[in-house]
Amino acid sequence: MATSQPEAADLSSQARARTRARTRPPQARTPAPDGLPVDLAGRKPSVLLIEDDPGDALLVEELVADSELTMRLRWVRSMAEASDALAAEVPDCVLLDLHLPDVQGLQAVSCIRAHADQVAVVVLTGLAEEHTGLAAVAAGAQDYLVKGRVEPDLFGRAVRYAIQRKQAEQAAVALQASQMQAQENARLERGLLPRPLLRGDGVEAVARYRPGRAQALLGGDFYDIVQSDDGTVHAVVGDVSGHGPDEAALGVALRIAWRTLVLSGITGARQIGRLEEILVAERVRPNVFATLTSLTAAPGARRVRTVRAGHPGLLRRTRDGVEWVEVPAGPALGVVPGGARWPEEELTVPAGASLVLFTDGLFEGHVGRGPERLGEDGLLDLAREVAALAPEPFVDGLIERAEGLAEEQGGLADDVAVLHLRWN
């Protein structure tokens, strides 16, 4: 609102007179009322006043001083100064005049939202501009006040409610984004976690998947098991490096490609080469790689063919206990595209024995509060503690013990996939 120099001087004189006449000392002011947002409890909300007229600025300072809501007020005269102020510190609320030397009207609201969209905005208008205040609210401001028609209590309440409304708006947006992310994660998890395709009773499969830290970040861990028409069992456990929807989507693509290759009769090192081609074509960054262990077991055989690509070892459960097994391996997929070789090895599986495949999230969690991790030896110790259990309680007990050791740091940070196979 433009004001002539005599009018500004008169307003300034009135404001100073009220300042001298005020008898209530600052320390005796009424404390902020209940209803403040939680993050403002115990501190004064900060307010940035953008007003080019010194007289109007003094009137606002008086409203702040007389309001029951104590606040920290900073005054700037233009949008350029406001931009610098917002870059230095983001306030809780902006009091905005729509007639500034470098920006006019609703464009001022747009400028504030462009610089700090999380800030509550209260527009200051003249008596004849109430329609402009309503338009400003429609454009994204939380409220408007008519200059010269605002009492201190109303002023404090307007600022407080504007901050609360903005925070409620942001919370609603965050909740909606969280719900959308959860739905997307659920869709990706359904792709990562298939139903085993078993045609007979020659093998018993138990599969588990646990997202790290309550699905804070979805990873690319995957598994699958397929039994072909002749009874041969094929299984895979893999892990795409990194976390997020891109890695999870790549894990889904690799899992589906693996099943397609198995059903097409392509196994062993040739199969791993095809999976690497798919990874290189689908990954969004050149440094993304994937590790996996794939195995094939003919019906009635006591030896299982395995191919390992940069993946951790596995557990073999027999009547004598549990042991850690590592067969010779090639590099992870995508590390040396087109130049890697993956040896096919045979692993003995005695009658009644089981193989347990898993991703590294199961043993890379921290133990207690320190930097020490569970590690492969620690995981083997946990497996031996539950060695006498049947397959399902064995797998669940193993994961629960690993989670329990990492509880002080919020649980397992990485996703975990486990596949337990027992041949009958």
Side-chain angles (χ1 to χ4, degrees):
M1 179 175 69
T3 308
S4 65
Q5 290 184 351
E7 290 174 331
D10 183 56
L11 288 171
S12 301
S13 299
Q14 294 176 24
R16 293 190 185 97
R18 283 197 301 274
T19 301
R20 289 191 295 269
R22 207 169 54 239
T23 59
R24 184 177 57 184
Q27 61 269 27
R29 291 174 190 159
T30 304
D34 294 336
L36 277 177
V38 174
D39 64 346
L40 292 182
R43 72 174 180 88
K44 299 177 182 179
S46 58
V47 177
L48 177 65
L49 171 62
I50 309 175
E51 171 63 71
D52 65 324
D53 187 277
D56 287 346
L58 271 174
L59 288 176
V60 172
E61 289 177 356
E62 288 301 304
L63 289 172
V64 170
D66 291 337
S67 169
E68 63 180 3
L69 175 64
T70 57
M71 61 187 80
R72 294 184 293 114
L73 182 67
R74 180 178 180 181
W75 172 36
V76 296
R77 299 168 179 263
S78 66
M79 188 57 67
E81 291 183 21
S83 299
D84 294 338
L86 291 170
E89 178 187 4
V90 178
D92 298 302
C93 182
V94 167
L95 298 175
L96 177 63
D97 179 31
L98 296 182
H99 300 287
L100 299 172
D102 51 355
V103 66
Q104 294 287 315
L106 297 182
Q107 185 182 358
V109 179
S110 300
C111 289
I112 295 299
R113 297 192 67 186
H115 283 90
D117 188 46
Q118 70 273 34
V119 175
V121 178
V122 176
V123 167
L124 304 176
T125 70
L127 180 60
E129 297 177 313
E130 190 166 355
H131 65 284
T132 305
L134 293 171
V137 171
Q142 275 60 58
D143 204 346
Y144 73 94
L145 297 173
V146 179
K147 295 179 181 180
R149 293 297 183 94
V150 182
E151 296 298 326
D153 289 345
L154 174 61
F155 172 80
R157 197 157 53 243
V159 170
R160 182 173 73 250
Y161 290 169
I163 295 173
Q164 289 178 325
R165 280 195 293 271
K166 188 62 179 181
Q167 292 187 341
E169 173 189 313
Q170 290 181 298
V173 171
L175 177 61
Q176 183 180 13
S178 176
Q179 291 173 340
M180 292 179 63
Q181 182 181 15
Q183 293 170 358
E184 182 65 18
N185 284 356
R187 284 193 292 270
L188 290 170
E189 282 185 13
R190 286 194 292 271
L192 290 166
L193 316 177
R195 291 185 178 181
L197 182 57
L198 297 176
R199 303 175 187 274
D201 57 1
V203 63
E204 179 182 355
V206 176
R208 294 289 187 270
Y209 175 84
R210 294 286 181 89
R213 289 183 180 167
Q215 295 182 325
L217 289 173
L218 185 65
D221 293 16
F222 61 93
Y223 67 83
D224 203 352
I225 178 170
V226 173
Q227 190 171 24
S228 53
D229 292 336
D230 63 359
T232 300
V233 174
H234 308 265
V236 66
V237 164
D239 183 4
V240 177
S241 63
H243 297 86
D246 290 332
E247 289 75 15
L250 182 55
V252 172
L254 292 176
R255 203 271 309 162
I256 294 174
W258 178 88
R259 178 174 282 204
T260 302
L261 291 168
V262 167
L263 295 176
S264 300
I266 300 175
T267 62
R270 183 184 173 203
Q271 175 194 85
I272 306 304
R274 294 290 183 270
L275 291 176
E276 183 178 65
E277 291 177 11
I278 293 171
L279 179 140
V280 172
E282 295 290 336
R283 63 186 176 183
V284 296
R285 297 182 305 278
N287 61 337
V288 173
F289 62 90
T291 68
L292 63 82
T293 295
S294 180
L295 60 84
T296 304
R302 291 291 175 260
R303 302 184 70 82
V304 173
R305 289 190 296 114
T306 64
V307 181
R308 190 160 68 102
H311 204 70
L314 50 85
L315 297 176
R316 179 166 54 190
R317 300 180 65 196
T318 65
R319 295 188 180 92
D320 298 326
V322 183
E323 60 179 330
W324 185 280
V325 178
E326 288 193 8
V327 299
L333 308 186
V335 175
V336 283
R341 297 293 180 268
W342 297 278
E344 296 185 46
E345 301 291 331
E346 288 192 340
L347 181 63
T348 302
V349 182
S354 305
L355 296 180
V356 185
L357 289 72
F358 44 83
T359 54
D360 58 10
L362 188 59
F363 61 83
E364 287 196 340
H366 291 277
V367 178
R369 297 183 179 181
E372 181 183 357
R373 297 180 183 273
L374 177 61
E376 297 173 354
D377 292 338
L379 179 62
L380 180 57
D381 290 340
L382 295 184
R384 286 171 174 168
E385 291 177 8
V386 292
L389 299 178
E392 285 202 28
F394 171 86
V395 173
D396 292 336
L398 190 60
I399 296 174
E400 288 170 4
R401 280 168 167 75
E403 286 179 328
L405 291 174
E407 184 176 358
E408 291 191 16
Q409 300 212 23
L412 298 174
D414 201 358
D415 292 8
V416 174
V418 181
L419 185 58
H420 184 288
L421 302 173
R422 184 173 71 177
W423 280 264
N424 299 322

